[in-house]
Amino acid sequence: MSASQTSDVPTLLVKIFGKDRPGITAGLFDTLAAYSVDVVDIEQVVTRGRMVLCALVTPPSAGLEGDLRATVHSWAESMKMQAEIISGLGDNRPRGLGRSLVTVLGHPLTAESTAAIAARITKAGGNIDRIFRLAKYPVTAVEFAVSGVETEPLRTALVTHAATFGVDIAVVAAGLHRRAQRLVVMDVDSTLIQDEVIELFAAHAGCEDEVAEVTAAAMRGELDFEQSLHARVALLAGLDASVVDKVRSEVRLTPGARTLIRTLKRLGYQVGVVSGGFTQVTDDLKDRLGLDFAQANTLEIVDGKLTGKVTGEIVDRAGKARLLRRFAAEAGVPLAQTVAIGDGANDLDMLNAAGLGVAFNAKPVVRQAAHTAVNVPFLDTVLYLLGVTREEVEAADTHDED
């Protein structure tokens, strides 16, 4: 039967609300079963122990609707619940064309920002079909299912105002691809880890301040990355190769990094890193974290000393995007199914090439250009942008402990 044919079919909306307890859903449908009704739709929500259960059903045989209403109200009262039954026609109205998922991260999520987001969705021509909480810590993450407006204009309407709302917002097209296999590729310095690796090396060479100044200028996009890389590495000439092990031990993972990678791997995703830093560190991270891909620059070592040069292909801004495409091809994942995460100007090409580019605690120029931004210090919050719930994250942790 087509949608137009079902729009005039009588239906009853049965709504039950009150304190949640086991057996409510089974009890309601046992009660309805006595009247041989068909179930058209079901929705149930539980918030702070209070439930709302809605069942859209066909009417009972002629003359029995009044009895059904009385029986349902009597059953609800026996369960210390309330019931409401509304007669009407048809199913839910058809959803508009253009379906998107809007993920909002708040720390905290305020009523004011939620109102602003809802108003902006309406102004863009969208309708909120459903809202679902993904997580309550370390941030509050909720997902809005929106129809009636295409994804790109909705993203423009929301993401450009995210900072004004005091939240982080991601907008992606709804569909089966949301749970399809993905490839996630991250920058390393100030993304996967809290440090800038070149600065850790520089501390051992006594030129940390000078290197940090050049690094900051490069990340702001004020200097050519390759030129700045050679200038900084030259300052390391003469360092003993044993410093590599010291730097590896000093590297600090970003909070949530292990959880992010562990959960992604449990979900069957492939994970890689690309870095303007050095293979002497990224290869170690690949082994420690079980990454699928890793690529970075390589410090030249001759006779047990750093020469102040790098060898091989330079991983710069364009190189990161090129490596994303290479990893995707090797993983057998369409580029549209890739996620890139980074913080600096040299990550921009990679972020724009990916299906979803996430600016993580990034410089302003990067936040403005990426698909979405995360401005809390927890890397695992990226999981919520992929529709992964906190319960799924904890289940992955429990599985690993077993």
Side-chain angles (χ1 to χ4, degrees), residues 49-374:
R50 309 293 292 184
M51 76 175 299
V52 177
L53 170 60
C54 293
L56 190 65
V57 300
T58 57
S61 301
L64 294 179
E65 183 175 327
D67 188 55
L68 179 149
R69 286 173 175 269
T71 302
V72 169
H73 279 285
S74 177
W75 168 81
E77 186 176 348
S78 73
M79 300 299 293
K80 298 182 180 181
M81 306 286 285
Q82 293 178 277
E84 182 180 7
I85 303 175
I86 303 172
S87 299
L89 296 176
D91 196 349
N92 301 316
R93 65 179 178 82
R95 295 175 64 188
L97 297 177
R99 299 180 184 181
S100 304
L101 297 172
V102 178
T103 305
V104 179
L105 308 180
H107 190 58
L109 178 62
T110 67
E112 182 180 8
S113 61
T114 305
I117 292 163
R120 184 66 59 173
I121 290 172
T122 300
K123 186 176 181 180
N127 183 72
I128 300 171
D129 300 316
R130 183 172 298 176
I131 304 174
F132 176 73
R133 188 179 72 184
L134 296 167
K136 60 182 178 181
Y137 68 93
V139 299
T140 300
V142 295
E143 182 177 272
F144 295 75
V146 177
S147 62
V149 59
E150 296 298 332
T151 300
E152 284 306 317
L154 181 62
R155 177 183 290 147
T156 299
L158 291 174
V159 173
T160 54
H161 293 85
T164 303
F165 300 153
V167 297
D168 298 326
I169 301 177
V171 182
V172 298
L176 291 175
H177 67 277
R178 186 74 181 281
R179 288 291 186 165
Q181 184 189 51
R182 288 190 174 190
L183 167 68
V184 178
V185 176
M186 290 174 276
D187 172 45
V188 176
D189 293 5
S190 298
T191 300
L192 178 62
I193 66 174
Q194 300 177 59
D195 313 283
E196 292 287 333
V197 169
I198 184 78
E199 294 177 10
L200 296 180
F201 277 100
H204 292 279
C207 56
E208 185 177 11
D209 291 343
E210 187 175 355
V211 165
E213 183 178 343
V214 178
T215 298
M219 291 300 98
R220 291 193 301 266
E222 297 171 2
L223 293 177
D224 173 78
F225 177 81
E226 184 171 349
Q227 291 178 337
S228 69
L229 174 68
H230 288 304
R232 289 174 291 173
V233 171
L235 297 170
L236 307 181
L239 272 179
D240 193 275
S242 62
V243 77
V244 170
D245 288 333
K246 295 177 182 177
V247 167
R248 286 175 175 174
S249 68
E250 293 166 351
V251 165
R252 301 166 299 162
L253 292 174
T254 297
R258 287 188 183 277
T259 300
L260 171 67
I261 295 169
R262 179 169 58 243
T263 306
L264 290 173
K265 298 295 290 182
R266 289 283 303 138
L267 291 172
Y269 290 11
Q270 297 188 61
V271 185
V273 294
V274 291
S275 177
F278 310 110
T279 57
Q280 281 84 358
V281 171
T282 57
D283 287 350
D284 180 61
L285 289 170
K286 181 181 179 183
D287 292 340
R288 287 167 51 194
L289 300 174
L291 302 174
D292 299 285
F293 304 97
Q295 189 70 42
N297 300 302
T298 299
L299 291 169
E300 184 180 65
I301 298 175
V302 175
D303 296 330
K305 301 286 185 180
L306 274 64
T307 65
K309 300 178 181 179
V310 292
T311 62
E313 179 184 359
I314 296 298
V315 178
D316 56 7
R317 175 169 169 167
K320 288 188 173 186
R322 185 167 56 249
L323 287 165
L324 172 71
R325 294 185 175 93
R326 183 193 304 173
F327 294 167
E330 293 177 13
V333 174
L335 199 59
Q337 289 299 107
T338 61
V339 179
I341 310 168
D343 75 298
N346 66 328
D347 297 314
L348 277 173
D349 289 3
M350 175 178 72
L351 297 179
N352 290 327
L356 177 64
V358 181
F360 181 73
N361 292 309
K363 284 68 179 176
V365 66
V366 183
R367 289 200 304 269
Q368 293 167 10
H371 297 133
T372 188
V374 171

